[in-house]
Amino acid sequence: MAEGREGTGTVAERPVELAYQLTVDDLAAAIRTRAKVTSAGRFRRRLLVYTLVVTAVGVLLSTLGDGRPDTPWYLYVALVASVAFMTAGPRLQARQFHRLSERQGDFRAVVDDMGICLTTAHSSASLDWHLYPRYAETPELFVLLSADKSAVGVGVLPKRGLSNPEDADRLRAIFGRHLVRADAAAASDVDGTPSRGRDVGRGAGSVGLLLLGLVLLFFAYAAVQKTVDPDAFPRLQHNNAPVSAIALILGVSAVARAWWVVRRMKVMRIVTAVLAAAVLLVGGAAVYRVGPMLHCWGSDRIARGPDGDYACYDF
Protein backbone atom coordinates (compact mmCIF):
# COMPACT_ATOMS: atom_id res chain seq x y z
CA MET A 1 0.00 0.00 0.00
CA ALA A 2 2.88 2.37 0.77
CA GLU A 3 4.42 1.67 -2.65
CA GLY A 4 1.13 2.54 -4.29
CA ARG A 5 1.14 5.90 -2.59
CA GLU A 6 4.66 6.70 -3.70
CA GLY A 7 3.85 5.76 -7.28
CA THR A 8 0.82 7.94 -7.73
CA GLY A 9 2.78 11.07 -8.51
CA THR A 10 0.09 13.25 -6.96
CA VAL A 11 -0.16 15.22 -3.75
CA ALA A 12 -2.67 13.35 -1.62
CA GLU A 13 -5.12 15.11 0.67
CA ARG A 14 -4.26 15.05 4.35
CA PRO A 15 -5.38 11.69 5.82
CA VAL A 16 -8.23 11.41 8.27
CA GLU A 17 -7.34 9.71 11.54
CA LEU A 18 -9.61 7.94 14.00
CA ALA A 19 -8.86 6.48 17.43
CA TYR A 20 -11.51 4.38 19.13
CA GLN A 21 -12.58 1.21 20.87
CA LEU A 22 -15.41 -0.80 19.38
CA THR A 23 -18.40 -1.37 21.65
CA VAL A 24 -21.27 -3.83 21.52
CA ASP A 25 -23.57 -0.96 20.54
CA ASP A 26 -21.30 -0.07 17.59
CA LEU A 27 -21.30 -3.62 16.29
CA ALA A 28 -25.05 -4.08 16.82
CA ALA A 29 -25.75 -0.85 14.92
CA ALA A 30 -23.47 -1.98 12.08
CA ILE A 31 -25.26 -5.35 11.85
CA ARG A 32 -28.65 -3.64 11.74
CA THR A 33 -27.41 -1.24 9.07
CA ARG A 34 -26.10 -4.12 6.96
CA ALA A 35 -29.50 -5.82 7.21
CA LYS A 36 -31.23 -2.66 6.00
CA VAL A 37 -29.04 -1.87 2.99
CA THR A 38 -28.26 -5.32 1.55
CA SER A 39 -30.71 -7.39 -0.47
CA ALA A 40 -29.93 -10.55 1.52
CA GLY A 41 -30.49 -8.70 4.79
CA ARG A 42 -33.79 -7.25 3.64
CA PHE A 43 -34.96 -10.68 2.50
CA ARG A 44 -34.15 -12.21 5.88
CA ARG A 45 -35.92 -9.42 7.73
CA ARG A 46 -39.06 -9.80 5.60
CA LEU A 47 -39.00 -13.56 6.06
CA LEU A 48 -38.85 -13.11 9.82
CA VAL A 49 -41.73 -10.63 9.74
CA TYR A 50 -43.88 -12.93 7.61
CA THR A 51 -43.06 -15.85 9.91
CA LEU A 52 -44.09 -13.78 12.89
CA VAL A 53 -47.37 -12.75 11.26
CA VAL A 54 -48.22 -16.31 10.21
CA THR A 55 -47.46 -17.56 13.72
CA ALA A 56 -49.65 -14.83 15.22
CA VAL A 57 -52.49 -15.79 12.91
CA GLY A 58 -52.05 -19.42 13.97
CA VAL A 59 -52.31 -18.39 17.61
CA LEU A 60 -55.48 -16.43 16.84
CA LEU A 61 -57.04 -19.36 15.02
CA SER A 62 -56.17 -21.72 17.86
CA THR A 63 -58.11 -19.60 20.35
CA LEU A 64 -61.45 -20.13 18.61
CA GLY A 65 -64.08 -22.70 19.33
CA ASP A 66 -64.75 -25.10 22.11
CA GLY A 67 -61.18 -26.35 22.09
CA ARG A 68 -59.78 -23.02 23.24
CA PRO A 69 -58.34 -24.44 26.50
CA ASP A 70 -56.38 -26.96 24.46
CA THR A 71 -54.45 -24.36 22.44
CA PRO A 72 -51.07 -25.93 21.57
CA TRP A 73 -48.48 -24.41 23.87
CA TYR A 74 -45.79 -24.50 21.19
CA LEU A 75 -47.60 -21.82 19.18
CA TYR A 76 -47.12 -19.36 22.01
CA VAL A 77 -43.50 -20.42 22.40
CA ALA A 78 -42.92 -19.94 18.66
CA LEU A 79 -44.49 -16.48 18.74
CA VAL A 80 -42.41 -15.33 21.71
CA ALA A 81 -39.25 -16.86 20.23
CA SER A 82 -39.82 -15.10 16.89
CA VAL A 83 -40.23 -11.72 18.55
CA ALA A 84 -37.20 -12.30 20.78
CA PHE A 85 -35.03 -13.38 17.83
CA MET A 86 -36.01 -10.35 15.74
CA THR A 87 -35.23 -7.89 18.53
CA ALA A 88 -32.22 -9.54 20.18
CA GLY A 89 -30.53 -11.21 17.20
CA PRO A 90 -28.26 -8.31 16.14
CA ARG A 91 -27.13 -7.67 19.70
CA LEU A 92 -26.31 -11.34 20.32
CA GLN A 93 -24.19 -11.35 17.15
CA ALA A 94 -22.55 -8.12 18.24
CA ARG A 95 -21.55 -9.63 21.58
CA GLN A 96 -19.81 -12.49 19.80
CA PHE A 97 -17.88 -10.13 17.52
CA HIS A 98 -17.04 -7.87 20.44
CA ARG A 99 -15.19 -10.66 22.24
CA LEU A 100 -12.75 -10.73 19.32
CA SER A 101 -12.38 -6.99 18.91
CA GLU A 102 -11.94 -6.51 22.66
CA ARG A 103 -8.76 -8.56 22.55
CA GLN A 104 -7.34 -6.14 19.99
CA GLY A 105 -7.56 -3.20 22.38
CA ASP A 106 -7.60 0.34 21.00
CA PHE A 107 -7.99 0.86 17.26
CA ARG A 108 -6.30 3.51 15.17
CA ALA A 109 -7.40 4.03 11.57
CA VAL A 110 -5.81 6.29 8.97
CA VAL A 111 -8.00 6.89 5.90
CA ASP A 112 -6.84 8.52 2.68
CA ASP A 113 -7.34 8.14 -1.06
CA MET A 114 -5.33 4.92 -1.14
CA GLY A 115 -7.36 3.07 1.44
CA ILE A 116 -7.38 2.41 5.18
CA CYS A 117 -4.44 1.62 7.47
CA LEU A 118 -5.77 -0.11 10.56
CA THR A 119 -3.57 -0.59 13.62
CA THR A 120 -4.23 -2.21 16.99
CA ALA A 121 -2.03 -3.21 19.91
CA HIS A 122 -1.50 -6.64 18.35
CA SER A 123 -1.91 -6.25 14.57
CA SER A 124 -1.89 -3.93 11.60
CA ALA A 125 -3.49 -4.13 8.15
CA SER A 126 -3.75 -2.11 4.95
CA LEU A 127 -7.13 -2.27 3.25
CA ASP A 128 -7.53 -1.20 -0.37
CA TRP A 129 -10.87 0.24 -1.47
CA HIS A 130 -11.77 -2.77 -3.60
CA LEU A 131 -12.24 -4.79 -0.39
CA TYR A 132 -15.05 -2.48 0.74
CA PRO A 133 -16.66 -0.91 -2.34
CA ARG A 134 -19.82 0.16 -0.50
CA TYR A 135 -20.55 2.14 2.64
CA ALA A 136 -23.49 3.29 4.71
CA GLU A 137 -23.73 6.06 7.27
CA THR A 138 -25.61 6.31 10.54
CA PRO A 139 -25.64 9.20 13.02
CA GLU A 140 -22.82 7.51 14.96
CA LEU A 141 -20.97 5.34 12.42
CA PHE A 142 -19.54 4.87 8.98
CA VAL A 143 -20.13 1.23 8.01
CA LEU A 144 -18.02 -0.26 5.20
CA LEU A 145 -19.45 -3.26 3.32
CA SER A 146 -17.85 -5.92 1.15
CA ALA A 147 -19.09 -6.50 -2.41
CA ASP A 148 -20.79 -9.87 -1.88
CA LYS A 149 -24.59 -10.03 -1.66
CA SER A 150 -24.68 -10.63 2.07
CA ALA A 151 -21.84 -8.18 2.84
CA VAL A 152 -19.98 -10.72 4.97
CA GLY A 153 -17.11 -8.26 5.39
CA VAL A 154 -18.00 -5.24 7.53
CA GLY A 155 -15.80 -2.36 8.64
CA VAL A 156 -16.91 -0.06 11.44
CA LEU A 157 -15.58 3.48 11.88
CA PRO A 158 -17.22 5.29 14.82
CA LYS A 159 -17.50 9.04 14.33
CA ARG A 160 -16.57 9.63 17.97
CA GLY A 161 -13.06 8.49 17.02
CA LEU A 162 -12.50 11.63 14.95
CA SER A 163 -10.39 14.29 16.61
CA ASN A 164 -12.28 17.09 14.87
CA PRO A 165 -16.00 17.11 13.94
CA GLU A 166 -15.08 18.63 10.58
CA ASP A 167 -13.13 15.47 9.76
CA ALA A 168 -16.47 13.70 9.23
CA ASP A 169 -17.01 15.80 6.09
CA ARG A 170 -13.49 15.05 4.87
CA LEU A 171 -14.00 11.34 5.51
CA ARG A 172 -17.34 11.47 3.70
CA ALA A 173 -15.63 13.16 0.74
CA ILE A 174 -13.00 10.41 0.56
CA PHE A 175 -15.69 7.74 0.58
CA GLY A 176 -17.59 9.65 -2.09
CA ARG A 177 -14.58 9.50 -4.41
CA HIS A 178 -13.93 5.78 -4.02
CA LEU A 179 -17.06 4.07 -2.71
CA VAL A 180 -20.76 3.89 -3.47
CA ARG A 181 -23.41 4.48 -0.86
CA ALA A 182 -25.06 1.13 -0.16
CA ASP A 183 -28.60 2.39 -0.72
CA ALA A 184 -27.64 3.88 -4.09
CA ALA A 185 -25.85 0.66 -5.09
CA ALA A 186 -28.96 -1.37 -4.37
CA ALA A 187 -31.21 0.95 -6.34
CA SER A 188 -29.28 1.45 -9.55
CA ASP A 189 -27.06 -0.25 -12.09
CA VAL A 190 -25.85 0.46 -15.58
CA ASP A 191 -28.57 -1.63 -17.23
CA GLY A 192 -31.19 -0.96 -14.52
CA THR A 193 -31.62 -4.64 -13.63
CA PRO A 194 -31.35 -4.27 -9.85
CA SER A 195 -33.90 -1.44 -9.91
CA ARG A 196 -36.37 -3.58 -11.88
CA GLY A 197 -35.79 -6.48 -9.53
CA ARG A 198 -36.46 -4.26 -6.56
CA ASP A 199 -39.70 -2.99 -8.11
CA VAL A 200 -40.84 -6.53 -8.88
CA GLY A 201 -40.05 -7.54 -5.32
CA ARG A 202 -42.01 -4.62 -3.91
CA GLY A 203 -44.96 -5.38 -6.17
CA ALA A 204 -44.97 -9.03 -5.09
CA GLY A 205 -44.64 -8.02 -1.45
CA SER A 206 -47.55 -5.62 -1.79
CA VAL A 207 -49.77 -8.31 -3.30
CA GLY A 208 -48.76 -10.73 -0.53
CA LEU A 209 -49.63 -8.17 2.13
CA LEU A 210 -53.00 -7.51 0.49
CA LEU A 211 -53.76 -11.24 0.49
CA LEU A 212 -52.70 -11.50 4.12
CA GLY A 213 -54.92 -8.54 4.97
CA LEU A 214 -57.84 -10.15 3.15
CA VAL A 215 -57.38 -13.41 5.07
CA LEU A 216 -57.21 -11.60 8.40
CA LEU A 217 -60.25 -9.43 7.69
CA PHE A 218 -62.26 -12.42 6.47
CA PHE A 219 -61.18 -14.30 9.58
CA ALA A 220 -62.41 -11.38 11.71
CA TYR A 221 -65.74 -11.51 9.86
CA ALA A 222 -66.15 -15.28 10.18
CA ALA A 223 -64.95 -15.57 13.80
CA VAL A 224 -68.25 -14.22 15.13
CA GLN A 225 -70.55 -16.04 12.70
CA LYS A 226 -72.08 -18.29 15.37
CA THR A 227 -72.85 -15.34 17.62
CA VAL A 228 -74.41 -13.27 14.84
CA ASP A 229 -76.75 -16.08 13.77
CA PRO A 230 -78.48 -17.41 16.93
CA ASP A 231 -81.15 -19.20 14.89
CA ALA A 232 -78.57 -21.54 13.38
CA PHE A 233 -76.52 -21.77 16.61
CA PRO A 234 -79.07 -21.42 19.45
CA ARG A 235 -76.82 -21.56 22.51
CA LEU A 236 -74.27 -19.45 24.31
CA GLN A 237 -71.17 -18.96 22.23
CA HIS A 238 -67.55 -18.36 23.12
CA ASN A 239 -66.82 -14.65 23.02
CA ASN A 240 -64.58 -14.35 19.95
CA ALA A 241 -65.08 -10.60 19.61
CA PRO A 242 -61.65 -9.70 21.11
CA VAL A 243 -59.87 -12.12 18.79
CA SER A 244 -61.83 -10.75 15.87
CA ALA A 245 -60.92 -7.18 16.82
CA ILE A 246 -57.21 -8.06 16.94
CA ALA A 247 -57.48 -9.71 13.53
CA LEU A 248 -59.13 -6.53 12.23
CA ILE A 249 -56.25 -4.40 13.46
CA LEU A 250 -53.65 -6.74 11.94
CA GLY A 251 -55.56 -6.92 8.66
CA VAL A 252 -55.85 -3.14 8.29
CA SER A 253 -52.16 -2.81 9.20
CA ALA A 254 -51.24 -5.31 6.45
CA VAL A 255 -53.30 -3.38 3.88
CA ALA A 256 -51.74 -0.07 4.94
CA ARG A 257 -48.26 -1.60 4.69
CA ALA A 258 -49.07 -2.92 1.21
CA TRP A 259 -49.72 0.63 0.02
CA TRP A 260 -46.65 1.98 1.83
CA VAL A 261 -44.35 -0.51 0.09
CA VAL A 262 -45.35 0.77 -3.37
CA ARG A 263 -46.10 4.39 -2.52
CA ARG A 264 -43.35 5.64 -4.89
CA MET A 265 -44.41 3.41 -7.81
CA LYS A 266 -47.08 5.36 -9.64
CA VAL A 267 -48.89 2.54 -11.47
CA MET A 268 -48.57 -0.03 -8.68
CA ARG A 269 -49.64 2.55 -6.13
CA ILE A 270 -52.92 3.11 -7.99
CA VAL A 271 -53.53 -0.63 -8.46
CA THR A 272 -52.78 -1.28 -4.79
CA ALA A 273 -55.11 1.52 -3.69
CA VAL A 274 -57.97 0.01 -5.73
CA LEU A 275 -57.34 -3.50 -4.40
CA ALA A 276 -56.93 -2.17 -0.86
CA ALA A 277 -60.31 -0.44 -1.08
CA ALA A 278 -61.92 -3.73 -2.13
CA VAL A 279 -60.20 -5.61 0.70
CA LEU A 280 -61.25 -2.97 3.23
CA LEU A 281 -64.90 -3.54 2.28
CA VAL A 282 -64.56 -6.91 3.99
CA GLY A 283 -63.05 -5.11 6.95
CA GLY A 284 -65.98 -2.70 7.05
CA ALA A 285 -68.43 -5.61 7.12
CA ALA A 286 -66.41 -7.17 9.95
CA VAL A 287 -66.43 -3.92 11.94
CA TYR A 288 -70.21 -3.74 11.48
CA ARG A 289 -70.48 -7.23 12.97
CA VAL A 290 -67.94 -6.98 15.75
CA GLY A 291 -68.53 -3.43 16.96
CA PRO A 292 -71.73 -4.13 18.95
CA MET A 293 -70.04 -7.05 20.73
CA LEU A 294 -67.02 -5.20 22.07
CA HIS A 295 -68.72 -4.20 25.33
CA CYS A 296 -68.40 -7.91 26.25
CA TRP A 297 -64.60 -7.82 25.84
CA GLY A 298 -63.80 -9.45 29.16
CA SER A 299 -66.64 -11.96 29.16
CA ASP A 300 -66.26 -15.67 28.50
CA ARG A 301 -69.62 -16.24 26.73
CA ILE A 302 -71.90 -14.07 24.64
CA ALA A 303 -75.38 -14.41 23.15
CA ARG A 304 -77.51 -12.32 20.83
CA GLY A 305 -81.03 -11.50 21.96
CA PRO A 306 -84.19 -11.16 19.86
CA ASP A 307 -83.79 -7.38 19.77
CA GLY A 308 -80.27 -7.68 18.29
CA ASP A 309 -78.42 -6.66 21.45
CA TYR A 310 -75.68 -8.84 22.90
CA ALA A 311 -75.71 -10.18 26.45
CA CYS A 312 -72.45 -11.00 28.24
CA TYR A 313 -72.00 -14.02 30.53
CA ASP A 314 -69.14 -14.97 32.85
CA PHE A 315 -68.64 -18.46 34.21
Side-chain angles (χ1 to χ4, degrees):
M1 187 170 177
E3 293 177 358
R5 286 177 183 158
E6 293 174 358
T8 57
T10 61
V11 179
E13 183 180 337
R14 183 166 58 90
V16 178
E17 298 186 8
L18 302 93
Y20 56 91
Q21 277 190 334
L22 288 175
T23 66
V24 174
D25 289 338
D26 292 334
L27 296 169
I31 292 171
R32 293 190 186 97
T33 300
R34 178 179 64 177
K36 292 178 181 177
V37 301
T38 60
S39 57
R42 288 191 294 268
F43 174 79
R44 284 192 291 266
R45 291 178 68 198
R46 290 168 185 164
L47 183 61
L48 285 173
V49 171
Y50 289 148
T51 301
L52 176 60
V53 171
V54 170
T55 305
V57 172
V59 171
L60 287 175
L61 289 171
S62 70
T63 61
L64 295 179
D66 297 333
R68 190 190 317 188
D70 299 325
T71 299
W73 60 268
Y74 55 81
L75 285 177
Y76 295 106
V77 173
L79 182 60
V80 173
S82 297
V83 174
F85 182 78
M86 290 179 62
T87 55
R91 192 162 190 86
L92 293 176
Q93 287 183 277
R95 287 186 178 278
Q96 293 179 338
F97 293 140
H98 184 254
R99 294 192 186 99
L100 178 61
S101 66
E102 195 174 27
R103 297 174 185 171
Q104 301 295 323
D106 294 336
F107 285 77
R108 181 175 179 271
V110 179
V111 185
D112 60 17
D113 284 301
M114 297 303 299
I116 303 174
C117 287
L118 191 63
T119 306
T120 71
H122 305 289
S123 64
S124 62
S126 297
L127 309 176
D128 293 333
W129 292 121
H130 75 275
L131 295 176
Y132 295 101
R134 301 177 290 169
Y135 83 100
E137 183 177 355
T138 74
E140 295 83 20
L141 306 171
F142 288 101
V143 182
L144 308 179
L145 304 168
S146 58
D148 54 287
K149 184 177 180 180
S150 299
V152 175
V154 179
V156 183
L157 298 176
K159 294 179 182 179
R160 66 175 182 278
L162 297 167
S163 58
N164 189 331
E166 295 178 356
D167 285 344
D169 292 330
R170 295 177 52 227
L171 188 57
R172 197 176 292 112
I174 294 174
F175 290 157
R177 288 193 293 271
H178 302 283
L179 307 180
V180 178
R181 285 189 69 98
D183 50 359
S188 62
D189 196 86
V190 174
D191 59 0
T193 301
S195 180
R196 288 197 298 270
R198 182 191 58 176
D199 290 345
V200 170
R202 286 184 175 180
S206 177
V207 172
L209 286 168
L210 284 173
L211 290 175
L212 177 62
L214 178 61
V215 170
L216 287 168
L217 294 177
F218 182 78
F219 166 74
Y221 181 88
V224 294
Q225 174 63 35
K226 292 183 178 180
T227 308
V228 171
D229 191 2
D231 294 333
F233 306 95
R235 61 185 177 90
L236 295 181
Q237 301 296 332
H238 282 286
N239 182 17
N240 293 325
V243 176
S244 185
I246 294 172
L248 272 170
I249 295 172
L250 292 175
V252 172
S253 299
V255 173
R257 181 62 180 173
W259 182 87
W260 180 262
V261 167
V262 296
R263 68 192 185 281
R264 296 179 181 176
M265 301 166 60
K266 184 176 181 180
V267 175
M268 196 64 194
R269 180 178 60 196
I270 296 173
V271 173
T272 300
V274 173
L275 294 175
V279 171
L280 290 176
L281 288 176
V282 179
V287 170
Y288 181 78
R289 277 189 162 195
V290 177
M293 306 178 190
L294 292 181
H295 70 282
C296 295
W297 185 278
S299 300
D300 184 61
R301 297 289 195 275
I302 190 171
R304 186 177 186 181
D307 56 355
D309 293 332
Y310 291 93
C312 313
Y313 298 91
D314 295 303
F315 295 96

